[in-house]
Amino acid sequence: MEAGGPEIPFAVAERDVAWTELAPRLYRQATASQWNPEAAVDWDAECALPDEIEDAVVQVMTYLVENEQAALVIPGRLLAQVHPHFREVLQLLAVQAADEARHVEVFTRRALLKGGEMGTSSVGGRASLATLLTEPDFSIASFLLSVLGEGSFLNLLSFLERHAPDPVTRRISHLVRTDEARHVAFGVGHLEHRAGVDPLLHGRLRAAVERRHDALIGTAGLNQDVFDSLVLLAAGSWEPEDIARGWQAVQELQKDMDEGRRHRLSRLGFPDDEAAALSALHTRNFM
């Protein structure tokens, strides 16, 4: 480099703050796995549903849209922090942002597919997402978003694919889950690398979970309309025995989310009891 030029400031200028050895492979995988919503989804497939089932789909899609909007903004913000020397991380974050933009598109299109309006957005849900959007630290933001939030969404998307009442909802749930699994892999890989070089990381991650829990303790958690919609989708009807089965399926979903979070926390080096305690503190809004 020619001497005398200006220093261009980047918050992340040290390799270990953003790196994982998985980055080059995940980027190659991401570029090979991009999908076009027009070609990958049959938007003309039969979706004639009872009104209350369609309303439940719309409500869940609305919830997914607002969560994916946050998941779009965060990698874009992290991308701007990283020094261009670490190009594999930049490339991966750029593709991750493109993934999330596509997710917002397909969930919005499904919500509006029958010409209705979007569902409701709760104060508690927006408060939960706000705590993600304001986290400035690269590793902590990756931890809260990818390891805990998007990790929980892997279970949610599997649930939606399994209980989808129509082929469009089933297809987009499958496609989005494939992308999200890659995002989670990057977050876990980065934090495994960071934990190996930073003995203070676990304490900072623990404090971030506790701080977020305390900030949200006065909120209602998951939008009740979303919870009811998930129950109805799993039930398939308003028959009491079906609703009981749907309610149990949502309880199992939350249990699966908890087990997934505990597993990923254990991979990052937290003892089992601490992993369980931290998972229990994760926001009830799932993301």
PDB file of all heavy atoms in Angstrom, residues 206-221:
ATOM      1  N   ARG A 206     -23.326 -14.798  28.130  1.00  0.00           N
ATOM      2  CA  ARG A 206     -24.269 -15.005  29.233  1.00  0.00           C
ATOM      3  C   ARG A 206     -24.908 -13.683  29.647  1.00  0.00           C
ATOM      4  O   ARG A 206     -26.129 -13.598  29.828  1.00  0.00           O
ATOM      5  CB  ARG A 206     -23.534 -15.623  30.420  1.00  0.00           C
ATOM      6  CG  ARG A 206     -24.432 -15.968  31.607  1.00  0.00           C
ATOM      7  CD  ARG A 206     -23.619 -16.441  32.803  1.00  0.00           C
ATOM      8  NE  ARG A 206     -22.633 -17.443  32.435  1.00  0.00           N
ATOM      9  CZ  ARG A 206     -21.315 -17.231  32.422  1.00  0.00           C
ATOM     10  NH1 ARG A 206     -20.817 -16.038  32.741  1.00  0.00           N
ATOM     11  NH2 ARG A 206     -20.487 -18.196  32.091  1.00  0.00           N
ATOM     12  N   ALA A 207     -24.097 -12.657  29.769  1.00  0.00           N
ATOM     13  CA  ALA A 207     -24.622 -11.348  30.170  1.00  0.00           C
ATOM     14  C   ALA A 207     -25.591 -10.802  29.126  1.00  0.00           C
ATOM     15  O   ALA A 207     -26.589 -10.147  29.477  1.00  0.00           O
ATOM     16  CB  ALA A 207     -23.462 -10.374  30.381  1.00  0.00           C
ATOM     17  N   ALA A 208     -25.329 -11.066  27.844  1.00  0.00           N
ATOM     18  CA  ALA A 208     -26.218 -10.571  26.786  1.00  0.00           C
ATOM     19  C   ALA A 208     -27.598 -11.219  26.878  1.00  0.00           C
ATOM     20  O   ALA A 208     -28.626 -10.557  26.711  1.00  0.00           O
ATOM     21  CB  ALA A 208     -25.596 -10.839  25.418  1.00  0.00           C
ATOM     22  N   VAL A 209     -27.630 -12.530  27.145  1.00  0.00           N
ATOM     23  CA  VAL A 209     -28.912 -13.226  27.288  1.00  0.00           C
ATOM     24  C   VAL A 209     -29.673 -12.682  28.492  1.00  0.00           C
ATOM     25  O   VAL A 209     -30.885 -12.407  28.416  1.00  0.00           O
ATOM     26  CB  VAL A 209     -28.689 -14.745  27.431  1.00  0.00           C
ATOM     27  CG1 VAL A 209     -30.002 -15.449  27.763  1.00  0.00           C
ATOM     28  CG2 VAL A 209     -28.101 -15.323  26.152  1.00  0.00           C
ATOM     29  N   GLU A 210     -28.969 -12.513  29.602  1.00  0.00           N
ATOM     30  CA  GLU A 210     -29.625 -12.021  30.819  1.00  0.00           C
ATOM     31  C   GLU A 210     -30.114 -10.589  30.639  1.00  0.00           C
ATOM     32  O   GLU A 210     -31.213 -10.236  31.076  1.00  0.00           O
ATOM     33  CB  GLU A 210     -28.654 -12.127  31.991  1.00  0.00           C
ATOM     34  CG  GLU A 210     -28.322 -13.577  32.354  1.00  0.00           C
ATOM     35  CD  GLU A 210     -27.174 -13.690  33.351  1.00  0.00           C
ATOM     36  OE1 GLU A 210     -26.482 -12.658  33.563  1.00  0.00           O
ATOM     37  OE2 GLU A 210     -26.957 -14.783  33.911  1.00  0.00           O
ATOM     38  N   ARG A 211     -29.298  -9.771  29.969  1.00  0.00           N
ATOM     39  CA  ARG A 211     -29.681  -8.375  29.734  1.00  0.00           C
ATOM     40  C   ARG A 211     -30.923  -8.294  28.847  1.00  0.00           C
ATOM     41  O   ARG A 211     -31.846  -7.516  29.116  1.00  0.00           O
ATOM     42  CB  ARG A 211     -28.510  -7.635  29.086  1.00  0.00           C
ATOM     43  CG  ARG A 211     -28.722  -6.158  28.853  1.00  0.00           C
ATOM     44  CD  ARG A 211     -27.413  -5.486  28.464  1.00  0.00           C
ATOM     45  NE  ARG A 211     -26.859  -6.004  27.224  1.00  0.00           N
ATOM     46  CZ  ARG A 211     -25.735  -6.717  27.138  1.00  0.00           C
ATOM     47  NH1 ARG A 211     -25.050  -7.024  28.236  1.00  0.00           N
ATOM     48  NH2 ARG A 211     -25.282  -7.143  25.969  1.00  0.00           N
ATOM     49  N   ARG A 212     -30.980  -9.114  27.820  1.00  0.00           N
ATOM     50  CA  ARG A 212     -32.141  -9.106  26.933  1.00  0.00           C
ATOM     51  C   ARG A 212     -33.378  -9.621  27.660  1.00  0.00           C
ATOM     52  O   ARG A 212     -34.476  -9.076  27.497  1.00  0.00           O
ATOM     53  CB  ARG A 212     -31.847  -9.968  25.700  1.00  0.00           C
ATOM     54  CG  ARG A 212     -32.900  -9.821  24.615  1.00  0.00           C
ATOM     55  CD  ARG A 212     -32.551 -10.627  23.391  1.00  0.00           C
ATOM     56  NE  ARG A 212     -33.520 -10.379  22.340  1.00  0.00           N
ATOM     57  CZ  ARG A 212     -33.875 -11.278  21.419  1.00  0.00           C
ATOM     58  NH1 ARG A 212     -33.321 -12.473  21.413  1.00  0.00           N
ATOM     59  NH2 ARG A 212     -34.758 -10.969  20.494  1.00  0.00           N
ATOM     60  N   HIS A 213     -33.209 -10.646  28.462  1.00  0.00           N
ATOM     61  CA  HIS A 213     -34.340 -11.167  29.232  1.00  0.00           C
ATOM     62  C   HIS A 213     -34.897 -10.099  30.163  1.00  0.00           C
ATOM     63  O   HIS A 213     -36.118  -9.901  30.243  1.00  0.00           O
ATOM     64  CB  HIS A 213     -33.901 -12.389  30.031  1.00  0.00           C
ATOM     65  CG  HIS A 213     -34.964 -12.924  30.945  1.00  0.00           C
ATOM     66  ND1 HIS A 213     -35.056 -12.565  32.274  1.00  0.00           N
ATOM     67  CD2 HIS A 213     -35.994 -13.782  30.719  1.00  0.00           C
ATOM     68  CE1 HIS A 213     -36.082 -13.168  32.826  1.00  0.00           C
ATOM     69  NE2 HIS A 213     -36.671 -13.918  31.913  1.00  0.00           N
ATOM     70  N   ASP A 214     -34.011  -9.400  30.846  1.00  0.00           N
ATOM     71  CA  ASP A 214     -34.462  -8.354  31.769  1.00  0.00           C
ATOM     72  C   ASP A 214     -35.177  -7.228  31.036  1.00  0.00           C
ATOM     73  O   ASP A 214     -36.162  -6.665  31.534  1.00  0.00           O
ATOM     74  CB  ASP A 214     -33.269  -7.797  32.550  1.00  0.00           C
ATOM     75  CG  ASP A 214     -32.699  -8.806  33.543  1.00  0.00           C
ATOM     76  OD1 ASP A 214     -33.371  -9.815  33.824  1.00  0.00           O
ATOM     77  OD2 ASP A 214     -31.563  -8.599  34.020  1.00  0.00           O
ATOM     78  N   ALA A 215     -34.688  -6.908  29.830  1.00  0.00           N
ATOM     79  CA  ALA A 215     -35.310  -5.819  29.058  1.00  0.00           C
ATOM     80  C   ALA A 215     -36.713  -6.181  28.590  1.00  0.00           C
ATOM     81  O   ALA A 215     -37.556  -5.303  28.392  1.00  0.00           O
ATOM     82  CB  ALA A 215     -34.436  -5.468  27.860  1.00  0.00           C
ATOM     83  N   LEU A 216     -36.983  -7.487  28.439  1.00  0.00           N
ATOM     84  CA  LEU A 216     -38.263  -7.931  27.883  1.00  0.00           C
ATOM     85  C   LEU A 216     -39.188  -8.534  28.928  1.00  0.00           C
ATOM     86  O   LEU A 216     -40.279  -9.016  28.580  1.00  0.00           O
ATOM     87  CB  LEU A 216     -38.020  -8.963  26.774  1.00  0.00           C
ATOM     88  CG  LEU A 216     -37.252  -8.465  25.546  1.00  0.00           C
ATOM     89  CD1 LEU A 216     -36.895  -9.619  24.620  1.00  0.00           C
ATOM     90  CD2 LEU A 216     -38.047  -7.398  24.806  1.00  0.00           C
ATOM     91  N   ILE A 217     -38.789  -8.501  30.193  1.00  0.00           N
ATOM     92  CA  ILE A 217     -39.545  -9.219  31.213  1.00  0.00           C
ATOM     93  C   ILE A 217     -40.968  -8.684  31.357  1.00  0.00           C
ATOM     94  O   ILE A 217     -41.877  -9.402  31.762  1.00  0.00           O
ATOM     95  CB  ILE A 217     -38.789  -9.181  32.561  1.00  0.00           C
ATOM     96  CG1 ILE A 217     -39.315 -10.277  33.492  1.00  0.00           C
ATOM     97  CG2 ILE A 217     -38.876  -7.789  33.207  1.00  0.00           C
ATOM     98  CD1 ILE A 217     -38.429 -10.522  34.686  1.00  0.00           C
ATOM     99  N   GLY A 218     -41.192  -7.427  31.028  1.00  0.00           N
ATOM    100  CA  GLY A 218     -42.522  -6.847  31.154  1.00  0.00           C
ATOM    101  C   GLY A 218     -43.385  -7.000  29.921  1.00  0.00           C
ATOM    102  O   GLY A 218     -44.533  -6.527  29.909  1.00  0.00           O
ATOM    103  N   THR A 219     -42.880  -7.660  28.878  1.00  0.00           N
ATOM    104  CA  THR A 219     -43.657  -7.821  27.652  1.00  0.00           C
ATOM    105  C   THR A 219     -44.419  -9.138  27.673  1.00  0.00           C
ATOM    106  O   THR A 219     -44.121 -10.045  28.450  1.00  0.00           O
ATOM    107  CB  THR A 219     -42.757  -7.787  26.407  1.00  0.00           C
ATOM    108  OG1 THR A 219     -41.877  -8.934  26.427  1.00  0.00           O
ATOM    109  CG2 THR A 219     -41.916  -6.510  26.381  1.00  0.00           C
ATOM    110  N   ALA A 220     -45.394  -9.251  26.781  1.00  0.00           N
ATOM    111  CA  ALA A 220     -46.260 -10.433  26.759  1.00  0.00           C
ATOM    112  C   ALA A 220     -45.626 -11.618  26.039  1.00  0.00           C
ATOM    113  O   ALA A 220     -46.164 -12.722  26.080  1.00  0.00           O
ATOM    114  CB  ALA A 220     -47.587 -10.075  26.093  1.00  0.00           C
ATOM    115  N   GLY A 221     -44.503 -11.415  25.365  1.00  0.00           N
ATOM    116  CA  GLY A 221     -43.864 -12.512  24.653  1.00  0.00           C
ATOM    117  C   GLY A 221     -44.489 -12.748  23.289  1.00  0.00           C
ATOM    118  O   GLY A 221     -44.810 -11.814  22.562  1.00  0.00           O
TER     119      GLY A 221
END
